[in-house]
């Protein structure tokens, strides 16, 4: 798993493991990499973990984001480099994305019974006012966009995974491949259109 090691003066260095997708770094409480340092902006930068590695993007911070001493607005990270978020320094230990798919053991509680919205759509079990748009292919858990785990693939389509068991999640109502119409089908449709077309003066 991708890891950043906080560089401190004393023993007991703190490590931050990055999750797949966007990891925000800053002073805000909701940041995945929360840094209570005066040189760090509230939302300083974001670290995106993809199948290709880790990419850092500065979010217009006051004191800047630096990679090996060079100020950057966006850059790919490599193991062994030093990342500075304002005055806070990190050693980049690893940039690997590992997707763990644990076994769905017997006895584990089944997914919650579906709740439906007023328009008839199934609701997300954790956000009952939001429609579920994903379903796990393994444990059948329903999820809204906020709950599904996203693996962003560089120059490719994103992959969606269940937050509960990490198996692939499928988008609900995804249309299958269109069937190709044969020559006879197209001919029948043409004939129907010709004979069903109203004549002039008729309603």
């Amino acid at each position: 798993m991708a890891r950043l090691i906080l560089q401190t003066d004393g023993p007991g260095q703190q490590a931050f493991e990055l999750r797949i997708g966007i990891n925000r770094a800053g002073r805000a409480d909701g940041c995945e990499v929360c840094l209570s340092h005066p040189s760090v902006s509230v939302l300083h930068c974001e670290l995106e973990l993809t199948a290709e590695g880790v990419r850092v993007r500065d979010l217009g911070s006051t004191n800047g984001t630096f990679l090996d001493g060079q100020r950057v607005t966006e850059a790919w990270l490599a193991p062994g480099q030093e990342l500075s978020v304002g005055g806070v320094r990190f050693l980049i230990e690893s940039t690997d994305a590992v997707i763990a798919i644990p076994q769905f053991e017997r006895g584990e509680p089944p997914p919650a019974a579906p709740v439906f919205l007023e328009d008839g759509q199934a609701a997300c079990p954790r956000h009952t006012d939001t429609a579920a748009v994903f379903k796990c292919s393994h444990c059948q858990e329903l999820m809204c966009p906020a709950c599904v785990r996203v693996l962003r693939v560089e120059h490719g389509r994103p992959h969606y995974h269940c937050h509960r068991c990490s198996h692939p999640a499928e988008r609900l109502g995804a249309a299958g491949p269109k069937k190709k119409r044969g020559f006879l089908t197209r001919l029948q449709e043409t004939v129907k259109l010709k004979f069903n077309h109203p004549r002039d003066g008729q309603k």
Side-chain angles (χ1 to χ4, degrees), residues 103-109:
Q103 294 294 324
F104 190 68
E105 297 184 11
R106 293 178 184 177
E108 190 173 338

Side-chain angles (χ1 to χ4, degrees), residues 54-67:
V54 179
R55 177 166 49 192
V56 62
R57 292 189 191 91
D58 187 82
L59 299 176
S61 63
T62 302
N63 294 310
T65 302
F66 297 82
L67 188 59

Side-chain angles (χ1 to χ4, degrees), residues 23-27 31 33 35 41-47 85:
N23 300 264
R24 297 166 301 166
R27 292 201 322 270
C31 289
V33 182
L35 305 169
S41 298
V42 175
L43 288 177
H44 196 104
C45 65
E46 64 181 23
L47 299 150
V85 179

Side-chain angles (χ1 to χ4, degrees), residues 6-9 14 16 25-29 33-44 61-64 84-90:
L6 182 64
Q7 300 295 284
T8 58
D9 295 332
Q14 185 179 357
F16 289 91
R27 292 201 322 270
D29 291 337
V33 182
C34 191
L35 305 169
S36 56
H37 193 277
S39 68
V40 177
S41 298
V42 175
L43 288 177
H44 196 104
S61 63
T62 302
N63 294 310
S84 296
V85 179
V88 179
R89 295 181 299 111
F90 294 93

Side-chain angles (χ1 to χ4, degrees), residues 14-168:
Q14 185 179 357
F16 289 91
E17 289 193 350
L18 303 181
R19 67 181 188 183
I20 290 170
I22 300 294
N23 300 264
R24 297 166 301 166
R27 292 201 322 270
D29 291 337
C31 289
E32 287 75 20
V33 182
C34 191
L35 305 169
S36 56
H37 193 277
S39 68
V40 177
S41 298
V42 175
L43 288 177
H44 196 104
C45 65
E46 64 181 23
L47 299 150
E48 183 181 8
L49 177 57
T50 73
E52 303 295 322
V54 179
R55 177 166 49 192
V56 62
R57 292 189 191 91
D58 187 82
L59 299 176
S61 63
T62 302
N63 294 310
T65 302
F66 297 82
L67 188 59
D68 287 340
Q70 298 293 319
R71 188 163 185 164
V72 295
T73 55
E74 182 172 336
W76 288 95
L77 307 185
Q81 288 183 310
E82 183 180 87
L83 175 69
S84 296
V85 179
V88 179
R89 295 181 299 111
F90 294 93
L91 172 68
I92 302 162
E93 183 182 79
S94 171
T95 58
D96 296 330
V98 179
I99 304 173
I101 303 180
Q103 294 294 324
F104 190 68
E105 297 184 11
R106 293 178 184 177
E108 190 173 338
V115 177
F116 294 93
L117 302 174
E118 290 182 2
D119 61 2
Q121 286 185 287
C124 173
R126 286 151 304 284
H127 304 97
T128 53
D129 58 344
T130 306
V133 293
F134 293 95
K135 184 177 183 180
C136 178
S137 59
H138 182 74
C139 70
Q140 306 302 306
E141 179 84 349
L142 295 174
M143 290 161 282
C144 68
C147 292
V148 73
R149 290 179 181 171
V150 184
L151 172 61
R152 291 177 175 82
V153 179
E154 190 72 11
H155 308 303
R157 298 178 62 185
H159 298 287
Y160 302 101
H161 294 268
C162 177
H163 79 101
R164 194 164 179 262
C165 69
S166 297
H167 280 77

